[in-house]
Amino acid sequence: MNRSLKTPSGSLASTLKQGLLGLATLALAASASAQKFEGLALTPPMGWNSWNTFESAINEQLVLDTAQSMIDSGMRDAGYTYIVLDDCWALRDRDPEGNLVPDPEKFPNGIKALADQLHEMGFKIGIYGDAGRTTCAGYPGSQGHEYQDARTWASWGIDYLKYDWCATGTRDAKEAYTTMRDALRTAGRPITFSICEWGDNEPWLWAQDVGHLWRISGDIYDCWDCEQEWSRGFKVILDRYHALKPSVVGRDGLGQYSGPGGWNDADMLEVGNPGLTLAESRSHFTLWAMITSPLMAGNDVRSMSPEIIDVLTNKDVIAINQDPDGVSAWRFGIVPGKYETWIKPLQGGDWAVCILNTSEETQTAEIQWHRMERALSGEFEIHDLWADKSLSTTHKDLKAKIASHDVLLMRLSPKK
Ligand code: GLA
């Protein structure tokens, strides 16, 4: 046996050993590159995306002005890190080598120069692609070009990819998104991967190991509950999020599938856009914070009102969204046609409790804390986060007037 190690079969053994070492090195490299992609979205990503307001009318100056306004308004320092170029940044054709080409009229210095500037300003940059033959607006998709496009984006310094689902024919969603995940990993730059297949293939059941966030519905629109063929108001998306009956014990809606590293994406914010009243913007922001959806602003931040800045930068509300435990809220109760209650556990034994007035009139909500005793045990101090004032304790029941489509958001902390 020993002898054979020194004879031709000995060299076979050494070849085998080298081969095994090689395989081990490859496996290590693969797990190192996988690790680079973990820890990218331990809390829901926050930023700004161009689509909801600007659609195809994007360019370098708009993006830089937006970045500056995000600094001036305090958004960057409140945590809005990603600036995402949505569809329509590229030319309609690839170059002769098959590379994607930024539209030189919109981005005269290319995307890499823009990425460098955004990085210097303290942001990360996101871009948009599509798993099919074309994007939703008809620009080149990445089907068959996944590894090439991932290398291009990595070489530009991209930090976030929103990857859409138009023109995908009979492609299998899990396979298509896994291919791009592997392409991004191979390209080697940590890129937060945003899956945008609109919830058609129940991504909450398979996307945890594929991307960092996944859309749960078609496109959001700046209205309360309108519903057109493709777009819908935030209340409609919220109902989809928790289609099941209210829950005393929680975690039975889509919320049970999201957590640190992988989030249900209820779509970009419409906060501050013309179709929403201020109360609706506040409710929309509150509920997206409660259900741990990414907070991607979708308004024109260059011209937003002070009231909208206050909504988008409220650090106590953002802290509900960014709570390190990452547990989503669930709908605890509904008073039909009047209001509904959502609750969310927070790190350290605190709770967020939110009451949304779903009616067209002011409502007086009555909260009997003992009805929540399976969630809240003991007495809690109550802080109203939008009014920034203390509301006594859960020792006595609470009556609160809430305007139409407005919200009461409370943080409960165990009484000391
Ligand atoms: C789809 C997406 C939107 C947006 C557009 C761009 O509709 O769901 O969020 O990216 O495509 O064309």
Side-chain angles (χ1 to χ4, degrees), residues 51 86-87 128 136-137 162 164 196 198 215 219 230 268:
W51 184 256
D86 208 282
D87 205 350
Y128 166 99
C136 297
K162 172 175 170 182
D164 215 337
C196 178
W198 320 309
R215 281 271 295 274
D219 291 2
W230 180 242
M268 287 100 60

Side-chain angles (χ1 to χ4, degrees), residues 242-407:
H242 213 314
L244 307 174
K245 62 185 186 314
S247 158
V248 178
V249 285
R251 306 219 72 158
D252 66 350
L254 290 189
Q256 68 190 292
Y257 302 107
S258 73
W263 306 99
N264 289 308
D265 176 2
D267 207 353
M268 287 100 60
L269 295 166
E270 294 285 3
V271 170
N273 284 337
L276 295 184
T277 64
L278 180 59
E280 288 167 346
S281 275
R282 190 163 37 235
S283 298
H284 172 27
F285 192 70
T286 303
L287 269 302
W288 264 224
M290 290 289 282
I291 63 173
T292 59
S293 183
L295 299 178
M296 303 298 273
N299 57 326
D300 186 349
V301 299
R302 301 168 307 170
S303 58
M304 57 188 166
S305 67
E307 291 79 12
I308 291 299
I309 296 178
D310 288 349
V311 171
L312 287 171
T313 60
N314 185 307
K315 64 178 188 345
D316 293 333
V317 182
I318 292 173
I320 303 291
N321 176 261
Q322 297 287 304
D323 183 76
D325 282 357
V327 182
S328 167
W330 60 88
R331 187 156 53 191
F332 180 85
I334 300 180
V335 180
K338 293 190 168 175
Y339 56 88
E340 53 190 53
T341 309
W342 291 72
I343 65 175
K344 174 187 194 312
L346 302 168
Q347 198 171 61
D350 282 14
W351 285 80
V353 176
C354 143
I355 304 182
L356 174 67
N357 179 346
T358 53
S359 79
E360 303 299 321
E361 298 110 43
T362 297
Q363 296 290 339
T364 302
E366 294 190 38
I367 310 166
Q368 295 167 325
W369 296 110
H370 71 90
R371 293 194 55 221
M372 293 185 190
E373 67 192 351
R374 284 175 71 182
L376 311 176
S377 75
E379 189 177 349
F380 287 77
E381 284 167 4
I382 307 168
H383 196 79
D384 174 341
L385 297 188
W386 286 116
D388 191 15
K389 68 170 194 222
S390 169
L391 295 182
S392 173
T393 77
T394 54
H395 183 62
K396 65 174 199 286
D397 291 344
L398 186 81
K399 271 195 179 181
K401 267 196 173 174
I402 305 170
S404 168
H405 296 180
D406 210 339
V407 77

Side-chain angles (χ1 to χ4, degrees), residues 5-72:
L5 288 174
K6 295 176 195 130
T7 58
S9 61
S11 70
L12 177 64
S14 113
T15 310
L16 270 176
K17 195 172 155 197
Q18 275 179 22
L20 285 175
L21 273 175
L23 278 178
T25 316
L26 269 179
L28 271 179
S31 86
S33 95
Q35 273 163 22
K36 277 200 217 160
F37 288 77
E38 282 159 18
L40 279 181
L42 293 180
T43 58
M46 292 174 66
W48 176 87
N49 175 301
S50 56
W51 184 256
N52 284 357
T53 293
F54 297 99
E55 300 196 343
S56 67
I58 51 173
N59 60 62
E60 179 184 287
Q61 200 52 51
L62 167 75
V63 175
L64 291 174
D65 291 348
T66 295
Q68 191 55 50
S69 300
M70 288 171 75
I71 294 173
D72 298 342

Side-chain angles (χ1 to χ4, degrees), residues 39-50 66 70 75-76 79-85 118 122-127 158-161 190-193 212-213 295-297:
L40 279 181
L42 293 180
T43 58
M46 292 174 66
W48 176 87
N49 175 301
S50 56
T66 295
M70 288 171 75
M75 283 180 72
R76 182 196 64 184
Y80 294 85
T81 310
Y82 292 104
I83 295 193
V84 183
L85 306 179
L118 291 178
F123 292 100
K124 291 175 184 284
I125 179 170
I127 208 157
I158 295 296
D159 306 294
Y160 179 109
L161 172 66
I191 293 182
T192 302
F193 189 28
H212 302 99
L213 55 155
L295 299 178
M296 303 298 273

Side-chain angles (χ1 to χ4, degrees), residues 110-155:
I111 303 290
K112 169 131 184 36
L114 180 60
D116 290 346
Q117 286 202 63
L118 291 178
H119 289 149
E120 265 173 38
M121 294 168 88
F123 292 100
K124 291 175 184 284
I125 179 170
I127 208 157
Y128 166 99
D130 188 287
R133 293 176 314 285
T134 67
T135 73
C136 297
Y139 294 86
S142 292
Q143 185 166 4
H145 289 268
E146 286 90 347
Y147 281 72
Q148 180 176 22
D149 293 349
R151 273 198 307 276
T152 300
W153 292 322
S155 76

